[in-house]
């Protein structure tokens, strides 16, 4: 495949128009899943085809793109998607969250606060938050129409009865502007508070399931909970062993077969920025002279 | 000191180079030509065209070569290519009654106008490995007869003349396009047929088989199975008439199924329909059974909870490109989500142990 | 079809429509902000901004309604040539174009279905003036409050009361565009 055989950002203009219309309707009805005629992309379903289509419909040649998977810029699928857009759109790319105008992500929201000039595009595998309670689209569509979300509360309450706490650790459901219950994609619930009131535009693309939805800037997003069991955005009770950050989401790395492990920031750009600023964790070494 | 794994890009490039080498295999063995695949693995080519929804034997052969014979991967390659092609227009409906048949059989009548034509079928081959093929592939020419240019009438047409089978409604409504509009449920029959004809052969086969074993049984007879080529015509508005733009090979299966009727309506047989690109008769027969099973509501039958009666279940799970993508995506990193569950399970366990200690 | 109809489209469709879309996305996502859209030089009375929105969002799959002075041969031909959009009555439109007065009554336009609220019309309202002052806007996309010189407030309050149903609006003037999704709460001040 050579890039010049394809249109800017791969998709043809008619397809982009269709996706753009869906994005605008998604913005107009925050949290509602807009059906769209997802195209077959040159990468497998389940690997970010929805996010890639949304990104392709948003990109201009002036954009700077960042792609992360699990918070990291160097995971193979992030590398592959970034390369796809370098080849088909010729856009600048970056690993620095603050320099990016569009960030495509799988499973994380960056630690650094986003700004008004940014768009965060989420890759979504199963956009329907009620799907694991009711497999039928025909039923869940009715439940959204009628705001019939009791089933979700029953499920969360059953967790409490069994475990004493809500046993959902990721893809934790949220309610957007008091109306639609929405799947925030499989981000850890640690990231949920960042969904609400963000200055950035948040767009969600599910290719295989043919849905696009959106959270506009400064939109009220609440994680579902109960008065006596309030939502808690938890993380591993450690500091990053490389940069010492106490408030970032951590990956657990197994270091030997004797039970040795260390905890490091999942957001690789956040961790590197801190280390370059002189922060040193328990197992880290000072950065010599920055990069 | 711990250093995070880097070099994803080089790893990917290296993997692709290795894959290319493995695809080629032993360079001492002659490279496989597309013509060889197209001519000698024609049924694989047909399956890739049918499920790739693109009628182009040479491209299908290329996809099979590139995918190392993994047909779902080949179908995926064709689909991804197909979606980039411009839409120049739509053809007229093809006339299968004017098919130049190479095979045409009916299970419902011993003989019929147009005759039973066995054609190039595996049906009565004894499934004995032919070791001669391992040595050389030379074959003797098959017997031939002069081509019969007459139209071959459909068996269901004979039944229809006597009112014994349900009328097929005709119309000029533009059918929905599964590849250009998001799937909306409930789906009409045209949309269902589109989804089934490009659905995974194995999935459709198993769904059809389940109806035969009683999960939504419809008592199907193969009224007719025909394979052959039909002309594709397209209206050219500038010319004011239709022109022949080529021909495609198709397999069509029409089933005659259990009758319906009531006190006021005399009993009548019902229909199932299958139409698939290429010589693909297993798929076409299976398609007609699944089509018929999904029609329970319009025919006033009971929903028994059979999988093949469940439109949403069949349509949402028939596509092997969607299915394999989502299935295989679970091998991508999920360590962030896993970490969140690890943290939760550890915390829950600590609470249980703390409660036990407090009780002791 | 006269030669004017053939002119004034995007000269670099992929790039110009990408920029125009980003402007319209910012407008709809941040109600009350004014964005600039360029690239289209459509025939009068179509504004450059409205022309760019049509080129970016409309095609053969999106029925367009032209209201009032915009329902003229020059605009019809231009849209037919550049977008290929079918021109329809108000009730069937995905997009509607005209002055606020010409678009009345706005309760003719599609507001979506309870199970498919996205199937609602988008109005492109051509304005003589468009300023970040006037009616007070609050809701999604707005940090505290925003102001926009809307032609009235009652119709938008009525539209908000239908949420999640309702139509969505772009307001255009010269090369500027502002957005007003159905989710915005509009008040006089």
């Amino acid at each position: 495949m050579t890039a010049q055989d394809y249109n800017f950002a791969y998709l043809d203009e008619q397809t982009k128009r269709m996706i753009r219309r869906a994005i605008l309707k998604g913005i107009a009805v925050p949290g509602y899943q807009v059906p769209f005629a997802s195209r077959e992309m040159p990468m497998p379903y389940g690997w970010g085809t929805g996010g890639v289509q949304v990104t392709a419909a948003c990109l201009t040649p002036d954009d700077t793109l960042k792609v992360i998977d699990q918070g990291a810029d160097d995971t193979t699928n992030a590398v592959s998607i970034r390369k796809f857009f370098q080849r088909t759109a010729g856009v600048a790319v970056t690993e620095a969250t603050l320099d990016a105008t569009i960030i495509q992500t799988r499973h994380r929201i960056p630690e650094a606060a986003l700004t008004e000039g940014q768009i965060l595009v989420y890759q979504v595998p199963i956009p329907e938050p009620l799907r694991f309670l009711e497999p039928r689209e025909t039923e869940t569509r009715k439940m959204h129409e009628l705001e019939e979300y009791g089933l979700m509360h029953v499920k969360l309450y059953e967790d409490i009865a069994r475990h004493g706490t809500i046993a959902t650790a990721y893809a934790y459901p949220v309610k957007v502007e008091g109306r639609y219950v929405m799947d925030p994609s499989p981000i850890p619930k640690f990231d949920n508070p960042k969904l609400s009131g963000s200055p950035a535009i948040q767009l969600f693309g599910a290719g295989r399931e043919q849905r696009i939805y959106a959270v506009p800037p400064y939109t009220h997003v609440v994680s579902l909970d109960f008065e006596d069991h309030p939502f808690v955005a938890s993380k591993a009770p450690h500091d990053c062993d490389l940069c010492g950050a106490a408030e970032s989401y951590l990956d657990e790395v197994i270091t030997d077969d004797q039970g040795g492990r260390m905890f490091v920031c999942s957001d690789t750009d956040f961790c590197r920025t801190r280390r370059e600023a002189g922060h040193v964790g328990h197992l880290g070494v000072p950065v010599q002279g920055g990069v | 000191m711990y250093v995070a794994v880097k070099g994803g890009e080089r790893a990917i490039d290296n993997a692709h180079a290795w894959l290319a080498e493995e695809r080629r295999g032993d360079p001492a063995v002659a490279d496989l030509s597309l013509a060889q695949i197209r001519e000698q693995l024609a049924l694989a080519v047909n399956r890739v065209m049918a499920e790739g929804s693109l009628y182009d034997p040479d491209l299908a052969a290329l996809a099979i070569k590139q995918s190392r014979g993994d047909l779902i991967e080949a179908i995926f390659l064709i689909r991804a290519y197909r979606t980039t092609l411009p839409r120049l227009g739509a053809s007229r409906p093809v006339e299968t009654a004017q098919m130049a048949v190479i095979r045409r059989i009916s299970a419902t009548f011993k003989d019929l106008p147009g005759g039973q034509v066995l054609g190039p079928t595996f049906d009565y081959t004894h499934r004995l490995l032919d070791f001669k093929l391992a040595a050389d592939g030379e074959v003797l020419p098959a017997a031939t007869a002069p081509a019969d240019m007459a139209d071959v009438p459909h068996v269901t047409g004979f039944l229809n003349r006597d009112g014994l089978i349900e009328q097929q409604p005709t119309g000029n409504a533009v059918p929905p396009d599964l590849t250009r509009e998001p799937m909306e449920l409930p789906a009409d029959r045209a949309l269902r047929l589109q989804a089934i004809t490009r659905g995974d052969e194995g999935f459709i086969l198993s769904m059809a088989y389940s109806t035969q074993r009683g999960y939504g049984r419809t008592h199907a007879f193969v009224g007719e199975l025909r394979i052959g080529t039909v002309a594709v015509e397209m209206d050219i508005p500038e010319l004011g008439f239709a022109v022949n733009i080529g021909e495609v090979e198709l397999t069509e299966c029409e089933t005659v199924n259990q009758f319906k009727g009531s006190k006021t309506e005399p009993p009548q047989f019902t229909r199932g329909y299958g139409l698939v690109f290429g010589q693909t008769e297993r798929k076409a027969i299976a398609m007609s059974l699944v089509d018929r099973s999904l029609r329970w509501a319009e025919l006033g039958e009971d929903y028994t909870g059979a999988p093949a009666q469940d439109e949403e279940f069949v349509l949402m799970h028939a596509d092997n490109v969607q299915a394999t993508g989502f299935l295989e995506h679970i091998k991508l990193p999920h360590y962030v989500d896993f970490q969140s569950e690890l943290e939760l399970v550890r915390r829950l366990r600590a609470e249980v142990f703390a409660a036990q200690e407090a009780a002791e | 079809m006269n030669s004017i109809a053939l002119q004034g489209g995007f000269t670099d469709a992929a790039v110009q429509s990408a920029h125009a879309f980003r402007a319209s996305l910012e407008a709809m996502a941040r109600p009350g902000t004014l964005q600039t859209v360029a690239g289209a030089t459509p025939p009068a009375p179509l504004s450059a901004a409205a022309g760019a929105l049509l080129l970016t969002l409309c095609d053969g799959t999106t029925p367009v309604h032209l209201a009032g002075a915009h329902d003229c041969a020059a605009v019809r031909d231009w849209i037919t040539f550049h977008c290929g959009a079918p021109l329809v009555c108000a009730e069937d439109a995905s997009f509607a174009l005209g002055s606020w007065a010409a678009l009345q009554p706005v309760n003719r336009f599609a507001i979506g279905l309870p199970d498919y609220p996205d199937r609602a019309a988008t109005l492109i309202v051509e304005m003589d003036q468009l300023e970040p002052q006037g009616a007070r806007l609050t809701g999604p996309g707005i940090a505290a409050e925003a102001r926009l010189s809307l032609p009235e407030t009652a119709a938008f309050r009525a539209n908000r009361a239908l949420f999640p149903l309702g139509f969505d609006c772009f307001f255009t003037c010269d090369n500027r565009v502002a957005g007003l999704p159905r989710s915005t709460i509009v008040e006089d001040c």
Side-chain angles (χ1 to χ4, degrees), chain B residues 88-90 92 234-243 245:
Chain B
L88 301 177
R92 287 187 162 186
M234 194 169 154
D235 283 318
I236 309 292
E238 289 82 358
L239 298 178
F241 53 87
V243 296
I245 57 169

Side-chain angles (χ1 to χ4, degrees), chain A residues 21-39:
Chain A
R21 290 191 296 262
I23 291 172
L24 291 176
K25 287 302 176 200
I27 288 284
V29 191
Y32 165 73
Q33 304 162 49
V34 183
F36 83 111
S38 174
R39 298 294 194 249

Side-chain angles (χ1 to χ4, degrees), chain A residues 69-79 82 95 242 251-254 262 264-266 268 275, chain B residues 1-12 333 335:
Chain A
D69 187 336
Q70 314 296 297
D73 298 270
D74 55 3
T75 35
T76 42
N77 203 41
V79 168
R82 185 164 60 238
E95 295 191 4
L242 293 182
D251 295 337
E252 179 174 336
V253 180
I254 295 175
M262 66 186 292
V264 297
C265 293
S266 119
T268 49
R275 279 180 281 137
Chain B
M1 189 217 147
Y2 168 77
V3 180
V5 186
K6 281 267 183 192
E9 194 155 340
R10 203 179 53 223
I12 290 172
Y335 56 78

Side-chain angles (χ1 to χ4, degrees), chain B residues 168-327:
Chain B
Q168 199 79 298
T170 56
N172 287 319
V174 177
D177 184 343
L178 186 66
T179 66
R180 293 274 140 169
E181 296 150 32
M183 172 87 77
E184 188 181 334
L185 299 166
D188 69 11
R189 192 176 177 200
L191 191 68
R192 291 200 303 251
L193 290 170
Q194 277 175 44
I196 301 170
T197 195
R198 74 194 317 236
D200 182 75
E201 179 175 309
F203 178 83
I204 303 299
L205 168 65
S206 291
M207 282 291 125
Y209 177 48
S210 73
T211 70
Q212 290 182 292
R213 288 197 64 260
Y215 290 84
R217 185 149 189 246
T218 63
H219 309 270
F221 296 99
V222 172
E224 183 172 350
L225 175 75
R226 57 171 66 192
I227 304 173
T229 50
V230 296
V232 180
E233 292 184 333
M234 194 169 154
D235 283 318
I236 309 292
E238 289 82 358
L239 298 178
F241 53 87
V243 296
N244 188 331
I245 57 169
E247 58 182 25
V248 294
E249 186 183 42
L250 295 173
T251 302
E252 182 185 54
C253 180
E254 289 190 284
T255 54
V256 177
N257 298 70
Q258 70 185 16
F259 45 84
K260 60 161 190 169
S262 65
K263 278 190 179 129
T264 51
E265 258 184 278
Q268 235 184 357
F269 290 107
T270 58
R271 300 169 185 251
Y273 189 71
L275 185 72
V276 186
F277 276 155
Q279 183 173 350
T280 43
E281 68 181 63
R282 180 187 301 123
K283 175 73 172 286
I285 298 169
M287 176 176 174
S288 60
L289 264 62
V290 175
D291 167 52
R292 176 59 185 78
S293 194
L294 289 173
R295 296 182 62 210
W296 63 271
E298 75 178 274
L299 295 173
E301 296 167 348
D302 291 334
Y303 177 69
T304 61
Q309 285 182 314
D310 187 334
E311 171 181 282
E312 181 161 348
F313 181 82
V314 172
L315 298 193
M316 297 306 278
H317 302 108
D319 192 294
N320 53 26
V321 178
Q322 290 178 356
T324 200
F326 197 53
L327 180 95

Side-chain angles (χ1 to χ4, degrees), chain A residues 2-269:
Chain A
T2 56
Q4 49 268 44
D5 294 341
Y6 293 98
N7 195 27
F8 172 73
Y10 181 75
L11 296 175
D12 61 278
E13 289 303 300
Q14 190 183 350
T15 298
K16 283 190 215 163
R17 278 192 296 272
M18 175 272 294
I19 295 170
R20 287 166 177 164
R21 290 191 296 262
I23 291 172
L24 291 176
K25 287 302 176 200
I27 288 284
V29 191
Y32 165 73
Q33 304 162 49
V34 183
F36 83 111
S38 174
R39 298 294 194 249
E40 266 136 344
M41 299 298 287
M43 56 198 65
Y45 285 117
W47 298 52
T49 56
V52 165
Q53 289 178 82
V54 169
T55 297
C58 288
L59 271 181
T60 74
D62 303 343
D63 274 310
T64 302
L65 178 69
K66 172 182 166 82
V67 184
I68 50 172
D69 187 336
Q70 314 296 297
D73 298 270
D74 55 3
T75 35
T76 42
N77 203 41
V79 168
S80 169
I81 290 170
R82 185 164 60 238
K83 198 169 173 185
F84 176 74
F85 283 116
Q86 280 179 288
R87 217 151 72 168
T88 59
V91 291
V93 297
T94 183
E95 295 191 4
T97 300
L98 295 177
D99 295 342
T101 52
I102 297 183
I103 303 170
Q104 179 166 330
T105 181
R106 177 168 170 265
H107 295 191
R108 276 309 312 276
I109 299 176
E111 305 289 355
L114 301 180
T115 60
E116 288 206 338
Q118 297 182 308
I119 298 175
L120 183 59
V121 178
Y122 296 77
Q123 301 173 200
V124 184
I126 302 274
E128 178 48 70
L130 305 168
R131 185 62 69 233
F132 300 106
L133 308 172
E134 168 52 64
R136 279 176 204 282
E137 166 68 14
T138 40
E139 291 298 319
T140 54
R141 183 161 288 279
K142 228 177 288 167
M143 291 157 76
H144 284 294
E145 172 187 340
L146 302 172
E147 261 184 289
E148 183 58 66
Y149 296 130
L151 203 57
M152 182 65 92
H153 283 100
V154 168
K155 191 260 167 198
L156 297 177
Y157 200 79
E158 280 173 357
D159 276 3
I160 293 169
R162 178 183 297 239
H163 301 295
T165 183
I166 294 172
T168 299
Y170 62 93
Y172 190 104
V174 296
K175 197 166 203 181
V176 182
E177 281 291 323
R179 180 56 180 84
Y180 285 99
V181 166
M182 183 188 97
D183 173 51
S185 89
I187 56 173
K189 67 177 182 173
F190 173 82
D191 282 340
N192 272 27
K194 294 181 231 164
L195 291 160
S196 190
S198 173
I201 295 172
Q202 300 177 77
L203 303 176
F204 299 78
R208 190 180 40 76
E209 297 280 337
Q210 306 187 307
R211 297 291 183 272
I212 284 172
Y213 51 105
V215 174
Y218 309 113
T219 295
H220 204 48
V221 180
V222 178
S223 302
L224 300 184
D225 63 359
F226 298 95
E227 253 172 41
D228 50 344
H229 284 92
F231 171 82
V232 180
S234 59
K235 64 178 269 274
H238 301 273
D239 296 347
C240 172
D241 283 324
L242 293 182
C243 77
E247 294 305 320
S248 75
Y249 193 78
L250 300 172
D251 295 337
E252 179 174 336
V253 180
I254 295 175
T255 51
D256 57 38
D257 58 3
Q258 308 297 311
R261 62 171 72 98
M262 66 186 292
F263 290 88
V264 297
C265 293
S266 119
D267 184 333
T268 49
D269 174 60

